[in-house]
Amino acid sequence: MSENVNVATSATDKTDPHPLPPGERYHGASRILHWIVAVLVLATWPLGLFIGFTKNEVKLDFYLVHESLGFLVLWVMLLRIGTKLTVGAPPSEGPMLERMAAGSVHGLLYVFLILMPVSGFLATNAHGFPLQWFGFIPVWSPIGKAPDIAGALSVIHATSAWILFGLFALHIGAVLLHHVIKRDKTLYRII
């Protein structure tokens, strides 16, 4: 008889099958923006590396796509910051050292996910190539062609890309630590 009650209860139970209650997960908008940024960075970063190996005839086309995606990363990150400020985040769990490390890596990810597209945008403008977003929308720049600072901006952009890559590796390493080794529910907070 109890077996029939359990079957009837599970058939009518319409609760979220997620292993965490909503209060322990990031807000829906935060989760969506997190994954949009992840996909955009995973497309933009390798594309930037690939540009060096393209033929000159198509190099500017690759730059256009790379810069347009990077500019999109900037705006999605600004939305993400706004969302974080308005809806917050679930309380951190784990030992204090682990929470501090996670907070530091997340904070640095945010900094470099803003710095990298801004420096890239300014660098291309300083080199004399104003952005036409995806080839259609002209984007105003606070600087025009400025060869004296173009190189420095390019170095900032390239350096921040490698720092971001390192932070991304730390982030993925922490995800694997929590999900595969510790087998806790940390990953479920963001999915």
Side-chain angles (χ1 to χ4, degrees), residues 99-184:
R99 290 192 320 259
M100 289 172 54
S104 297
V105 170
H106 283 124
L108 289 169
L109 279 167
Y110 275 62
V111 167
F112 284 97
L113 284 167
I114 297 292
L115 179 62
M116 193 170 67
V118 168
S119 60
F121 170 72
L122 293 175
T124 55
N125 279 276
H127 282 291
F129 299 98
L131 175 61
Q132 288 276 103
W133 202 23
F134 292 106
F136 298 108
I137 303 168
V139 178
W140 174 83
S141 173
I143 62 172
K145 187 172 183 177
D148 50 326
I149 62 169
L153 290 168
S154 293
V155 168
I156 291 169
H157 181 66
T159 303
S160 63
W162 285 107
I163 292 170
L164 185 63
F165 180 75
L167 292 167
F168 179 74
L170 285 172
H171 187 62
I172 294 301
V175 168
L176 292 173
L177 172 72
H178 282 281
H179 197 68
V180 176
I181 296 171
K182 290 186 170 189
R183 296 185 181 270
D184 63 22

Side-chain angles (χ1 to χ4, degrees), residues 25-109:
R25 295 172 70 194
Y26 283 88
H27 186 273
S30 297
R31 294 191 316 266
I32 290 168
L33 293 170
H34 170 273
W35 292 108
I36 290 172
V37 169
V39 167
L40 287 171
V41 169
L42 289 172
T44 308
W45 200 89
L47 184 61
L49 286 176
F50 185 70
I51 290 171
F53 301 101
T54 59
K55 294 181 179 181
N56 287 337
E57 299 85 45
V58 294
K59 197 173 290 274
L60 287 179
D61 295 330
F62 277 90
Y63 269 116
L64 173 67
V65 173
H66 173 75
E67 189 178 4
S68 294
L69 289 173
F71 199 65
L72 187 55
V73 168
L74 172 64
W75 287 103
V76 175
M77 278 305 299
L78 293 174
L79 277 174
R80 189 159 179 217
I81 290 169
T83 300
K84 187 170 187 154
L85 292 173
T86 57
V87 300
S92 298
E93 297 175 354
M96 182 182 284
L97 186 60
E98 197 174 279
R99 290 192 320 259
M100 289 172 54
S104 297
V105 170
H106 283 124
L108 289 169
L109 279 167

